[in-house]
Amino acid sequence: MSDIPIFIFWEDAMKAIIKTKPGPGNVELVDVPVPGIAETEVLIKVRAMGICGSDILIIDGDMDANVPIILGHEFSGEIVEKGSKVTHFSIGDRVASELSIQSCRWCVDCRRGDFHLCANRRAPGIHMNGVFTEYIALPEFSLHKIPDNISYEEGAVMEPAAVAAHGVLERALIQPEDFVVIIGPGTIGLLALQMVMHYGAKKVVVAGKENDMHLRLLTAQELGADRIINVDRENIEDIVFEMTDGRGADLVVDCAGTQSAIYEGIQVLKKHGRLCTMGMPGEIEIGIPWKKAIFRDMDLIFSYSSSASSWNIVRSMLERGAINVKPLITHRESFSNYQIVLDDATKGNVIKAILFHES
Ligand SMILES: [Zn+2]
Ligand SMILES: [Zn+2]
């Protein structure tokens, strides 16, 4: 996909949500040209767009992006045009895309299939124009068909689902009978909950804060969490050690990326326990209770973004109903009303907000 110039009048124009310059705010809905496609690319009509925590970080100026830029990376859509060298996709296919839409394909990481770790990786909505628009040109190698049994809205949640799958299934390697604590009940935390339950966790506790109580933690409970914890009112250590007869948790999954989540996560782990972190801390550095971790032989596992294989897992789990993303879609707004969901998302009243085009 080539970067497209903006702020000019174009005959073949489309609407796009653009971050115009660094700092907090500076987001506008403007006309941009419909992109052309290269021989190996397809043109996708965007049908549904998901708003991610990292979009909010970029909008608030807490995460760098290559501005001016069309925001957004979570989406699904329909292929409406294809280049002459596209071989695996057809016009009319319903698709979503990995974030590694540019990677060198030749470094050791790429040749292992870890395109998300390539030094030359570029992702939409961060390094290059993103998906909060009407059409996007993407290389076919980054695409995945969305299962026939799910809607475009649900298809837009495949990307965060792949992040959760990479974390708990490929990095943390959930084991049968694991006692799991998930900290941070956002979209990825609630997907991780469903995945660890499906793949054999004995019990799952989901922890959040006071402002998670009325929506996110209740959803965790409805999805089958054995216990929800409001860490602003309850002592997570007391509860986890009581539930595990004093042993502690086998696995903590951090989906918050905060100092307190990492600290508490290590406090509640058993000896030989694993803490897998997928949380994005922005620019801050996080300290860990080193002595506690080393004296208990703990594993600290970092999990970044998603791999191509984690997308295959998600596609399979969605196809057979092993995960359900519908309860996570709490807000739907038409594209032109994007400001409403951005405001709600900033306040934390949202699990997953989806924007859609009227036609
Ligand atoms: Zn995302
Ligand atoms: Zn590479």
Side-chain angles (χ1 to χ4, degrees):
M1 189 186 77
S2 52
D3 281 350
I4 46 181
I6 52 175
F7 307 129
I8 313 168
F9 178 75
W10 300 91
E11 220 170 87
D12 220 358
M14 61 180 188
K15 296 278 182 214
I17 300 170
I18 289 190
K19 170 103 177 165
T20 55
K21 50 182 193 250
N26 304 317
V27 175
E28 292 173 25
L29 185 65
V30 299
D31 284 332
V32 298
V34 174
I37 52 170
E39 287 175 324
T40 54
E41 289 181 335
V42 297
L43 186 69
I44 301 165
K45 181 171 173 50
V46 176
R47 296 288 189 180
M49 296 144 273
I51 293 175
C52 177
S54 61
D55 298 323
I56 304 297
L57 287 175
I58 291 171
I59 289 168
D60 291 345
D62 294 329
M63 184 172 147
D64 286 339
N66 195 12
V67 292
I69 193 170
I70 301 175
L71 292 168
H73 58 267
E74 297 177 9
F75 86 107
S76 67
E78 178 189 351
I79 295 178
V80 291
E81 197 184 325
K82 65 178 214 171
S84 58
K85 292 193 176 156
V86 170
T87 53
H88 288 72
F89 290 89
S90 307
I91 289 169
D93 281 350
R94 299 173 348 124
V95 293
S97 175
E98 290 174 35
L99 298 199
S100 308
I101 58 176
Q102 272 190 15
S103 57
C104 78
R105 304 266 140 179
W106 288 104
C107 70
V108 286
D109 297 309
C110 283
R111 299 198 77 165
R112 213 173 34 225
D114 289 332
F115 307 117
H116 64 297
L117 300 179
C118 177
N120 294 308
R121 176 209 202 216
R122 295 180 82 209
I126 302 164
H127 310 108
M128 55 208 301
N129 279 320
V131 303
F132 290 173
T133 183
E134 295 176 69
Y135 294 92
I136 184 165
L138 289 174
E140 68 166 332
F141 66 70
S142 70
L143 302 180
H144 293 262
K145 285 182 189 158
I146 65 175
D148 293 338
N149 59 326
I150 68 166
S151 65
Y152 279 119
E153 289 186 5
E154 294 163 72
V157 190
M158 282 181 80
E159 192 274 333
V163 173
H166 184 55
V168 297
L169 304 179
E170 297 187 322
R171 299 284 297 139
L173 299 174
I174 177 75
Q175 299 294 307
E177 297 299 303
D178 269 351
F179 184 103
V180 182
V181 176
I182 294 171
I183 303 178
T187 304
I188 291 174
L190 295 171
L191 286 158
L193 163 67
Q194 296 182 55
M195 289 173 185
V196 298
M197 283 169 58
H198 183 79
Y199 282 108
K202 176 170 59 188
K203 281 204 159 88
V204 190
V205 169
V206 179
K209 291 177 162 285
E210 181 73 28
N211 66 358
D212 295 318
M213 273 313 288
H214 58 283
L215 178 62
R216 295 172 177 172
L217 282 173
L218 290 184
T219 305
Q221 199 164 40
E222 280 160 19
L223 288 170
D226 295 281
R227 177 75 153 86
I228 54 171
I229 300 175
N230 173 356
V231 296
D232 290 329
R233 286 175 187 264
E234 297 175 289
N235 187 312
I236 185 172
E237 290 177 49
D238 289 350
I239 294 167
V240 170
F241 281 98
E242 194 189 313
M243 287 180 77
T244 56
D245 295 328
R247 281 193 297 276
D250 297 284
L251 171 65
V252 170
V253 180
D254 161 52
C255 301
T258 61
Q259 176 69 66
S260 58
I262 298 292
Y263 178 84
E264 286 298 347
I266 288 175
Q267 296 299 326
V268 302
L269 273 183
K270 69 165 197 179
K271 290 167 187 164
H272 278 299
R274 293 115 65 211
L275 185 142
C276 176
T277 177
M278 294 181 254
M280 278 289 178
E283 296 306 313
I284 60 165
E285 291 192 358
I286 288 178
I288 61 165
W290 195 280
K291 269 190 181 168
K292 191 147 212 165
I294 203 164
F295 287 139
R296 290 196 215 166
D297 253 1
M298 289 174 177
D299 288 325
L300 177 55
I301 302 160
F302 293 90
S303 182
Y304 173 59
S305 194
S306 58
S307 60
S309 49
S310 64
W311 278 77
N312 294 336
I313 292 170
V314 165
R315 191 182 141 85
S316 164
M317 292 188 87
L318 283 167
E319 253 167 7
R320 57 203 163 85
I323 50 171
N324 181 6
V325 301
K326 272 190 213 143
L328 311 185
I329 300 173
T330 53
H331 290 61
R332 292 172 185 81
E333 275 300 337
S334 69
F335 183 67
S336 51
N337 287 338
Y338 72 97
Q339 199 57 54
I340 296 173
V341 282
L342 288 186
D343 289 347
D344 266 352
T346 309
K347 285 186 215 127
N349 296 332
V350 169
I351 298 176
K352 180 54 69 185
I354 298 284
L355 296 172
F356 59 87
H357 293 295
E358 300 283 8
S359 57

